[in-house]
Amino acid sequence: MKTDRTLIVVPTYNERENVARLVAELLGVEPDADVCLLDDDSPDGTAAHASELFGTEPRFSVLRREGPRGYGRSLVDGYRRALAGGYARLVQLDADFSHDPRRVPALIEASRAADVVIGSRYCEGGGVENWPLRRRALSRFANAYVGRITGLRVRDTTSGFRCYTRRALACLLEGSIAGEGYAFLVEATYRAHSAGLRVAEVPITFTDRREGQSKMSRKVILESVLMPWRLRLAGRKGEAASRRFQEPADG
């Protein structure tokens, strides 16, 4: 096992304009971490561009994904790589600088007392920049919606800036994962909480993307709307099965 080392993973799709600065900042901000881009076969050559710039850096790698694309699928491949590589923890963040690389050490430090650490916009000290009022309201509503349906007492279940311990990664990979888009984040939080893992939040300031285009689509939004209900129903079925198992047999 790579004692106390961290793997930082960044899902990318058409992020050529961001990767040079992002990778350089990540390599500088945490000396005991490796950086891996999880590239979804970007048409703009993100993977090739990054490899050309950082190919001789031993702490950098690119996982060129083939087959079905998707945010959740990319992260699962990153989780598998972290476990196979013997890392103590994994940090994930977006490639567009909406997540400040300088906050990575804070998430790592918090992971020493928690299995899942969420970089939160909505805990004390967190915030959002460059978002119109409508989008702020929608994000707040989405998190309240998730909490109401699932019972999770996490302020920012939809944040993609996270740190997982090795134990949390193993837990998430034990069963099949339904979420393919950003609903995966809610699913991961719910499953970790249901498994009894400690979930903590540290404040971040989210800044709307500097370059490129948003990856949101109608399909991603619909999946995000339905996921809390799927988790709630699955949880009820599990509770019912557990009660049946515990009930003494007649006679």
Side-chain angles (χ1 to χ4, degrees):
M1 181 171 174
K2 297 186 178 182
T3 306
D4 206 40
R5 287 187 66 82
T6 301
L7 179 64
I8 303 173
V9 299
V10 186
T12 57
Y13 184 73
N14 287 347
E15 298 287 357
R16 182 186 178 98
E17 60 269 77
N18 289 316
V19 292
R21 181 180 171 190
L22 177 66
V23 172
E25 288 196 20
L26 288 172
L27 290 172
V29 77
E30 191 61 39
D32 290 327
D34 296 334
V35 176
C36 177
L37 298 188
L38 309 172
D39 190 68
D40 252 351
D41 194 23
S42 298
D44 74 347
T46 296
H49 181 59
S51 295
E52 181 180 352
L53 294 173
F54 301 101
T56 60
E57 168 56 61
R59 294 167 52 206
F60 173 77
S61 62
V62 176
L63 176 59
R64 299 171 188 250
R65 299 188 65 256
E66 298 178 353
R69 293 172 178 163
Y71 178 76
R73 295 175 187 269
S74 294
L75 287 171
V76 167
D77 284 348
Y79 298 171
R80 292 189 179 118
R81 171 165 284 205
L83 289 179
Y87 291 92
R89 68 186 63 80
L90 173 145
V91 172
Q92 65 184 57
L93 74 162
D94 292 347
D96 58 10
F97 285 96
S98 56
H99 302 143
D100 187 347
R102 293 173 297 180
R103 292 298 289 162
V104 168
L107 270 69
I108 291 175
E109 183 60 30
S111 74
R112 304 189 190 284
D115 288 295
V116 180
V117 180
I118 298 175
S120 175
R121 297 162 289 186
Y122 303 125
C123 69
E124 184 177 356
V128 175
E129 291 183 352
N130 300 336
W131 264 9
L133 181 60
R134 178 176 175 273
R135 192 166 179 188
R136 290 172 185 255
L138 181 61
S139 178
R140 287 277 191 178
F141 171 79
N143 278 283
Y145 173 82
V146 169
R148 179 72 172 176
I149 296 170
T150 64
L152 285 170
R153 295 183 178 180
V154 177
R155 296 179 182 88
D156 200 352
T157 55
T158 60
S159 170
F161 196 4
R162 301 185 172 204
C163 180
Y164 294 104
T165 64
R166 185 176 181 84
R167 181 169 71 158
L169 295 176
C171 174
L172 294 177
L173 293 177
E174 279 182 357
S176 61
I177 295 174
E180 295 183 9
Y182 291 97
F184 170 80
L185 299 169
V186 174
E187 182 180 8
T189 307
Y190 184 86
R191 289 181 56 178
H193 180 267
S194 297
L197 301 182
R198 184 181 175 193
V199 180
E201 294 179 88
V202 298
I204 64 165
T205 298
F206 179 95
T207 305
D208 202 12
R209 62 178 298 125
R210 299 176 183 176
E211 303 288 348
Q213 297 179 343
S214 173
K215 309 301 188 296
M216 279 293 181
S217 67
R218 290 183 179 179
K219 180 181 177 182
V220 168
I221 293 172
L222 179 60
E223 183 188 41
S224 299
V225 170
L226 296 177
M227 179 58 73
W229 291 104
R230 294 179 66 175
L231 295 172
R232 179 173 176 172
L233 292 173
R236 285 183 174 179
K237 289 179 180 178
E239 291 173 2
S242 178
R243 285 196 297 270
R244 287 197 299 270
F245 179 78
Q246 293 174 10
E247 289 173 356
D250 293 337

